[in-house]
Amino acid sequence: MSQREIQIKSPEEVKLYAATVKVYTRTGDKGTSALFTGERRGKDDAVFEALGTTDELSSTIGLAIAHMEGTNASTLIPQLEIIQCLLQDVGSNVATPLNGTRKSEAKINRTRFDPDGYHCTQMEGWIDELSVGLPMHRSFILPSGGPAASTLHIARTVCRRAERTLVPLQEDIDKETMMFVNRLSDYLFTAARWVAMQQGITEKIYVHHKGRVTEFDK
């Protein structure tokens, strides 16, 4: 295993951690929240829109994992759990603006995301591996393929939205953050197709209301 690869902790290991602090802090009762740098901004700020969307994406991936447990597609779960961890790192990068009013070089260095492009390259490798043996899609594929695959399609659409929320923040985040989220949507599309194939569920395709399929079949 590469030193860069993330190792998911077992429930037994997690039990050894110290108890967490209280969930509620009351500090956001007036509509503001703090970035990692300590700067406070309104909860409707673009940073928190991006953070909320990446959190939603991780939650949707968690639901997909729940649908895969105990099935013949469960071998994909370790990859998805790594991606959930990396999305936390994406959030840390977003929450530490490079040009914020309370700029901290130490915190910026601590929350750098994938400066050597390792995780993005790793994901491209995963996409290539999952693509082997997939039926060629000559038509537009509708979100389908069973509960797990369909949930991954939902995750893909949330991922696209997460990418759009990062666009206004490009000057304040690492370029690798944008690259990773962009590549993630491709991964989720491929993963959804792979899960459908593993579970023997036929994907549905787009058919025009006049009966023709798509231009891909010409």
Side-chain angles (χ1 to χ4, degrees), residues 6-11 58 61-62 65-66 68-69 74-88 126 187:
I6 294 174
Q7 299 184 46
I8 305 300
K9 300 296 184 183
S10 69
S58 182
I61 291 173
I65 289 173
M68 287 181 213
E69 290 173 343
S74 62
T75 54
L76 192 66
I77 292 176
Q79 287 184 9
L80 294 172
E81 290 178 336
I82 288 172
I83 287 170
Q84 286 183 300
C85 291
L86 290 172
L87 285 173
Q88 291 294 120
W126 289 348
Y187 170 89

Side-chain angles (χ1 to χ4, degrees), residues 95-147:
T96 315
L98 299 176
N99 300 298
T101 59
R102 295 185 64 176
K103 184 176 178 180
S104 166
E105 292 298 332
K107 290 185 176 180
I108 287 174
N109 290 332
R110 180 177 171 184
T111 57
R112 287 292 309 278
F113 182 79
D114 200 20
D116 58 4
Y118 173 84
H119 296 304
C120 195
T121 300
Q122 180 185 50
M123 189 176 299
E124 290 174 351
W126 289 348
I127 293 171
D128 292 342
E129 291 171 1
L130 293 174
S131 297
V132 175
L134 283 181
M136 183 177 295
H137 61 289
R138 298 182 179 277
S139 307
F140 289 112
I141 294 172
L142 300 178
S144 56

Side-chain angles (χ1 to χ4, degrees), residues 3 6 27 36 38 40 44 50 76 81 98 103 105 112 115 119 137 142 144 152 157 177-178 183 186 193 203 206 214:
Q3 292 182 347
I6 294 174
T27 56
F36 182 54
R40 297 197 69 85
D44 58 352
L76 192 66
E81 290 178 336
L98 299 176
K103 184 176 178 180
E105 292 298 332
R112 287 292 309 278
H119 296 304
H137 61 289
L142 300 178
S144 56
L152 285 171
T157 63
T177 298
M178 285 284 297
R183 204 71 80 254
D186 296 327
R193 300 202 65 220
E203 298 169 294
Y206 161 74
T214 71

